[in-house]
Amino acid sequence: MGKRKVGALEKVDADLSSLQYKIRRDPASYMNDFQDQYNQYKHQREIFLQAPSSTTHDGIVSIRDLVDFVSHVADCYPEDTAQFPQDLMTLLNMHHEELEPDLREKIVGSLVLLRRKNIVDSSTLLHTLFPILIATPSKSLRTLLFQKILSDLRTSNASTTNHRLNRTIQTVLYNLLTTDRTSPKGIWAVKLARELWKRQIWTDSKAVEIMKEASLADNEKVVVGGVRFFLGGDKEREEMEDDSSDNEAVDMGKLKHQMAINKKNKKKVRMMDHAVATVKKKERKKKHPHPLNFSAFHLLHDPQSFAESLFSKHLQNTRSKLNLEQKLLVLQLVSRLVGLHKLTIISLYSYFLKYLTPRQPSVTSFLASLAQATHNLVPPDVLEPLIQKIANEFVSEAAASEVASAGLNAIREICVRQPLAMNDVLLQDLVMYRKSKDKGVMMASKGLLSLYREVGANMLKKRDQGKEAAMGLRSGQRRDQRFGEEAVGEIEGLELLEEWKEEERQRQRFEKGLPAERGPDEPDEKEDDENAGDWEVDGTDSDDSGGWINVESDKEIDISDSDDGKPAFKKAKFDSATSKADDEKEGTEKEEETAPKKMSSLATTRILTPADLAKLQELRLSASISQHLPASQRKRAAQAAAAALQARHADDPLTAAEIEGLARLSKKTTKADKIALAREGKGDESVHQSTQAKRKERKEAQGKSSTNKEKARKKNFLMTLGKGKAKGKRSLVERGRVLKAHVERGKRGGKRGNKGK
């Protein structure tokens, strides 16, 4: 067979690759060869600059190979190639539209390679690539440049945060949005800032200010990009963090089992080492302090002016170019700002009036936005016409059941945030819908009723107040809520700890034979929890360490089985020695009921020890279990609804799906819907498999092996013949000995004797 002829370009390519390898090993010996190739690059570059559009294909291939060669060995000859990065930047800036795509991609890749070799700094590279990104009409080049810019910023912030570079790029993006608000180029600033926020590279207020300016732009795409960042940027960041943690999860038990069972080889050892390294890295991450990832809403500098600007520019302005869907996004952002920061924009609530009709498209989104924009500092006079409008339009006998339940649910969400917006007459009318035959309407009305039993029982009729609310009103424990009133904050469950300490003190005094109350002449007692021992928490003393937790019952039962005749101690109740103190307490019970709840002074008068905190956690748990033992099914449902309401975080948005939640109960499901619901969790039924085959697949996916019984069942028949023959030849004595040994082995826990260890 004859020798294949090699073309001239292939020879050059092969020569450049071998020369590059030789230069990397010994730069000084191949200095002249590099100079020849570098001069060739300069010559080809001058020819290209004279006529960029008329360059031949061979010339483009030649300059592309030379650029690749010089960029790979530029760090070996830094003095000779000092002008090379600037030449590439000039060529890319001036002729990026005329360059051939492969050559253009090679120049961009060479600049990134020079950045990795620290020949070009990140700031210079990004200042070169970003203007081309926002100016070029080529989609492929925009995609390439966006990836390279994002990758360089991630690399620069990998080990430590590069504050100087971040500030420089953030200033460039901010100026791009503020200099020309009508330009569509600002969309690249939005995309870049959102991607870096999602990857937790930019987590400061400057990135939020960039998106704030994007939301106030005049271009529709830029506005929608900025608004969507505020509505979903934090959720994207949490989802990405969860995905990264899920990808790092390694099942060490499965790998160890495979290593013990299967034959060892180098690949398995490498997999095991990599898994161990991943687990160690994850453990180190757990020990590091968690970064404070504040929500974008909390990093805004001036939420009041931002919300007012958004509302006046995009919603109130009749010349706004946004369509209804885009306006609804802006409205959701404004309502979340108002509800979260408790802002006051009175004109916002009158804006909702024209959209509160069942015929309005996306009306549940408008209802959810109205509920989000409500808080306890909104004047009730402003909200009362809106609630009346919702009741008139949605809640009536002529309205469909889905419409009525959505309206009642929206009214309840508004009243949760501002209970004073409801009047007595309308509330009593809405509560009557609890007798509706439709399940969704009935449950929505009962939800409104249970809410006002907690926050405004005096607005209900006596028969609707319920037992607890009526008793609270009679005793004075529940009183009318006033406008602007804020609850006093304190440590949750601190009053439980204070009561427990008082009971312990009285118990100790009773054991010593002293009266329950300390006399005026007695010196102050040193409490036990001031000792040094209370700073050590004993894990075995806590009730929640695996045992039962004491739950208070409705009645206290005094059971004493002592033989010495000593009276049994009962919580805060003593025998005749303290009967006088008990009579005095009973006389003051009525006064304590009518008095307002006294705030615990324990946290302000003493330092809580670790033992105190452990006991506080135990008392909280016991109290929560006691609260979850309702006397009736109705009470349990009310408590579940209240718990679901409290579980919602203040930053979580109220969606249209939550408004429509009870309306789904009113909708009658068709046969097709029931079949689809039944087939939801069954997976793909196109391939028929037996239950045993599915179980086997599930076990293999979990990394589990087969049992000994399954292995014995699958064993070759010829391999079992010898054992079967030996069994048949056993005598009666031998058979008894084998059975006796089998019974004893079972008592020991098998051959290994694992029983009882």
Side-chain angles (χ1 to χ4, degrees):
M1 185 177 178
K3 191 174 181 180
R4 187 177 73 88
K5 292 183 179 181
V6 181
L9 289 177
E10 290 181 329
K11 286 182 179 178
V12 171
D13 189 16
D15 292 343
L16 287 177
S17 299
S18 61
L19 181 60
Q20 175 184 330
Y21 173 73
K22 293 172 183 176
I23 288 174
R24 299 297 301 176
R25 295 189 58 146
D26 189 4
S29 301
Y30 295 94
M31 178 74 178
N32 295 330
D33 295 323
F34 171 75
Q35 288 289 350
D36 294 341
Q37 296 297 333
Y38 192 63
N39 292 332
Q40 181 70 16
Y41 154 73
K42 289 182 178 178
H43 179 65
Q44 292 285 350
R45 178 176 171 274
E46 290 175 0
I47 294 174
F48 178 80
L49 290 176
Q50 289 177 1
S53 57
S54 60
T55 307
T56 61
H57 177 70
D58 293 343
I60 291 173
V61 172
S62 176
I63 192 171
R64 186 179 65 198
D65 293 338
L66 288 169
V67 165
D68 185 43
F69 167 74
V70 175
S71 61
H72 274 88
V73 298
D75 55 330
C76 299
Y77 309 103
E79 296 179 359
D80 297 330
T81 59
Q83 190 62 27
F84 177 68
Q86 188 60 42
D87 293 343
L88 292 182
M89 293 176 192
T90 306
L91 185 65
L92 190 63
N93 281 324
M94 295 179 62
H95 304 286
H96 62 86
E97 295 183 2
E98 303 167 353
L99 287 174
E100 196 252 346
D102 292 339
L103 177 59
R104 190 170 56 193
E105 186 176 344
K106 180 61 69 177
I107 293 174
V108 173
S110 300
L111 285 173
V112 174
L113 180 62
L114 294 175
R115 161 68 189 93
R116 290 177 184 169
K117 294 176 179 289
N118 291 324
I119 299 174
V120 180
D121 61 335
S122 289
S123 181
T124 306
L125 176 66
L126 296 176
H127 276 92
T128 303
L129 299 182
F130 191 73
I132 302 173
L133 172 67
I134 62 177
T136 180
S138 172
K139 187 176 180 180
S140 60
L141 180 59
R142 287 199 303 264
T143 306
L144 175 66
L145 292 177
F146 184 77
Q147 291 175 351
K148 297 298 182 184
I149 291 171
L150 186 62
S151 175
D152 186 67
L153 284 169
R154 289 180 62 188
T155 307
S156 302
N157 291 274
S159 56
T160 56
T161 305
N162 192 340
H163 294 287
R164 186 176 180 182
L165 177 64
N166 291 342
R167 290 294 179 192
T168 304
I169 302 302
Q170 285 169 354
T171 305
V172 171
L173 300 183
Y174 187 84
N175 293 336
L176 176 66
L177 288 166
T178 53
T179 49
D180 187 6
R181 293 188 178 275
T182 59
S183 174
K185 295 178 180 178
I187 192 66
W188 290 107
V190 173
K191 287 183 177 180
L192 192 60
R194 185 168 185 174
E195 193 69 26
L196 292 170
W197 177 270
K198 184 172 73 173
R199 297 178 185 274
Q200 298 189 24
I201 299 171
W202 287 358
T203 56
D204 55 351
S205 59
K206 187 70 175 176
V208 178
E209 288 296 317
I210 292 171
M211 305 308 287
K212 174 183 172 181
E213 293 299 328
S215 302
L216 296 173
D218 294 331
N219 185 272
E220 295 86 353
K221 289 185 178 180
V222 180
V223 171
V224 172
V227 171
R228 286 187 184 276
F229 165 77
F230 284 104
L231 294 177
D234 298 323
K235 189 175 180 182
E236 287 178 354
R237 184 169 64 175
E238 292 171 5
E239 288 175 354
M240 190 160 193
E241 189 176 358
D242 293 340
D243 291 343
S244 62
S245 61
D246 291 343
N247 293 336
E248 291 178 0
V250 178
D251 190 355
M252 289 296 296
K254 179 180 175 181
L255 288 174
K256 286 180 180 178
H257 179 72
Q258 289 176 351
M259 288 287 289
I261 299 299
N262 300 333
K263 184 180 178 181
K264 290 186 179 180
N265 53 30
K266 290 183 178 180
K267 183 180 178 182
K268 292 277 195 320
V269 173
R270 281 198 305 270
M271 286 173 62
M272 190 69 183
D273 294 341
H274 179 68
V276 171
T278 306
V279 171
K280 287 182 178 178
K281 182 180 177 183
K282 203 171 181 183
E283 290 297 325
R284 284 196 300 270
K285 276 186 179 180
K286 284 182 181 178
K287 293 178 182 178
H288 290 170
H290 193 276
L292 296 175
N293 293 330
F294 289 104
S295 171
F297 289 105
H298 296 292
L299 293 175
L300 283 168
H301 176 60
D302 188 2
Q304 178 72 38
S305 62
F306 179 43
E308 288 177 352
S309 302
L310 278 173
F311 180 63
S312 60
K313 185 170 186 177
H314 298 310
L315 298 178
Q316 277 188 324
N317 188 9
T318 55
R319 297 181 181 179
S320 177
K321 298 179 182 179
L322 302 180
N323 56 30
L324 180 63
E325 185 180 355
Q326 294 167 344
K327 283 186 176 180
L328 187 55
L329 288 174
V330 177
L331 183 62
Q332 289 174 357
L333 175 56
V334 173
S335 62
R336 285 195 67 184
L337 285 170
V338 171
L340 185 61
H341 294 282
K342 295 189 176 181
L343 310 178
T344 304
I345 305 178
I346 300 299
S347 54
L348 172 65
Y349 302 99
S350 58
Y351 177 80
F352 280 101
L353 278 171
K354 60 182 177 181
Y355 296 106
L356 299 180
T357 58
R359 295 175 297 278
Q360 173 67 39
S362 305
V363 66
T364 50
S365 298
F366 282 101
L367 292 172
S369 300
L370 174 58
Q372 277 187 136
T374 307
H375 53 85
N376 61 340
L377 299 180
V378 179
D381 298 340
V382 176
L383 294 173
E384 195 170 344
L386 293 168
I387 292 178
Q388 190 68 48
K389 177 81 180 290
I390 295 173
N392 294 339
E393 293 283 346
F394 289 82
V395 188
S396 65
E397 295 293 340
S401 56
E402 295 92 341
V403 175
S405 59
L408 284 168
N409 206 10
I411 291 173
R412 181 185 177 277
E413 292 293 342
I414 295 170
C415 294
V416 163
R417 293 159 174 79
Q418 179 53 286
L420 302 176
M422 178 70 70
N423 58 62
D424 305 357
V425 179
L426 181 59
L427 177 61
Q428 291 168 9
D429 183 27
L430 296 177
V431 162
M432 292 298 293
Y433 282 91
R434 73 184 187 279
K435 298 179 181 178
S436 173
K437 293 182 180 179
D438 186 80
K439 190 174 182 181
V441 177
M442 178 263 293
M443 290 186 66
S445 180
K446 283 186 176 180
L448 187 64
L449 175 62
S450 62
L451 169 67
Y452 272 92
R453 281 178 175 172
E454 296 292 330
V455 299
N458 56 340
M459 298 174 65
L460 297 167
K461 291 183 178 179
K462 192 172 181 180
R463 67 170 183 268
D464 297 332
Q465 289 176 355
K467 182 181 177 182
E468 290 185 4
M471 291 174 64
L473 288 174
R474 198 178 303 117
S475 63
Q477 292 179 356
R478 297 195 181 187
R479 55 191 183 85
D480 296 342
Q481 184 178 354
R482 288 179 286 183
F483 176 68
E485 186 178 12
E486 293 284 351
V488 180
E490 59 179 358
I491 302 174
E492 183 184 355
L494 191 61
E495 67 279 357
L496 299 174
L497 181 63
E498 192 171 15
E499 291 174 6
W500 178 79
K501 281 182 173 294
E502 181 64 23
E503 291 171 4
E504 285 293 305
R505 188 185 64 80
Q506 292 181 3
R507 183 182 62 81
Q508 290 171 5
R509 290 180 63 86
F510 175 70
E511 289 176 353
K512 294 176 183 178
L514 299 174
E517 299 297 330
R518 184 175 61 86
D521 299 334
E522 293 183 31
D524 293 337
E525 298 175 355
K526 290 185 179 180
E527 297 185 3
D528 293 338
D529 51 7
E530 291 177 355
N531 298 334
D534 279 353
W535 295 92
E536 300 291 334
V537 182
D538 189 4
T540 59
D541 292 342
S542 177
D543 288 341
D544 59 351
S545 60
W548 292 91
I549 296 173
N550 293 329
V551 180
E552 295 180 8
S553 59
D554 294 337
K555 296 181 180 179
E556 294 183 351
I557 303 172
D558 186 9
I559 300 175
S560 176
D561 54 355
S562 57
D563 298 328
D564 54 358
K566 290 184 180 179
F569 171 71
K570 198 161 53 173
K571 291 169 63 177
K573 292 186 180 181
F574 310 102
D575 57 356
S576 59
T578 57
S579 60
K580 189 176 181 181
D582 292 338
D583 294 338
E584 293 176 0
K585 285 183 182 179
E586 289 173 4
T588 57
E589 277 181 358
K590 293 182 180 179
E591 297 177 4
E592 289 177 355
E593 287 178 356
T594 55
K597 185 181 177 182
K598 183 182 177 182
M599 185 178 177
S600 176
S601 60
L602 190 63
T604 58
T605 56
R606 59 179 294 106
I607 298 174
L608 297 179
T609 64
D612 289 338
L613 296 175
K615 189 64 183 178
L616 178 60
Q617 180 66 21
E618 178 187 335
L619 293 171
R620 278 183 196 159
L621 184 59
S622 178
S624 64
I625 292 176
S626 299
Q627 288 175 358
H628 283 77
L629 297 174
S632 62
Q633 192 73 22
R634 191 187 313 163
K635 188 176 177 182
R636 186 183 293 116
Q639 287 182 351
L645 183 64
Q646 291 175 357
R648 182 189 296 162
H649 195 269
D651 292 352
D652 293 341
L654 180 66
T655 60
E658 295 179 24
I659 297 292
E660 298 170 0
L662 296 175
R664 295 174 187 170
L665 299 174
S666 303
K667 184 181 178 182
K668 293 183 179 179
T669 53
T670 60
K671 186 177 180 181
D673 294 339
K674 291 178 182 177
I675 293 172
L677 187 64
R679 288 180 177 175
E680 255 182 22
K682 291 189 177 180
D684 186 18
E685 294 184 353
S686 58
V687 181
H688 176 71
Q689 277 185 325
S690 64
T691 308
Q692 189 175 0
K694 290 178 182 177
R695 191 183 298 120
K696 184 179 178 182
E697 277 189 3
R698 200 182 310 119
K699 287 179 69 175
E700 288 177 355
Q702 294 173 356
K704 295 180 180 178
S705 179
S706 56
T707 62
N708 289 336
K709 275 190 176 181
E710 290 174 350
K711 288 174 182 173
R713 198 182 303 122
K714 293 178 182 178
K715 201 168 186 179
N716 191 359
F717 175 70
L718 294 174
M719 296 173 70
T720 63
L721 283 177
K723 191 173 182 181
K725 288 178 181 178
K727 280 185 177 180
K729 292 177 181 178
R730 286 177 188 167
S731 66
L732 189 61
V733 177
E734 288 177 351
R735 196 174 299 174
R737 192 185 301 119
V738 170
L739 290 174
K740 187 177 180 181
H742 174 72
V743 172
E744 290 177 355
R745 189 164 57 245
K747 290 179 180 178
R748 287 199 311 269
K751 289 182 179 180
R752 298 182 182 179
N754 294 325
K755 193 170 184 180
K757 289 188 178 180

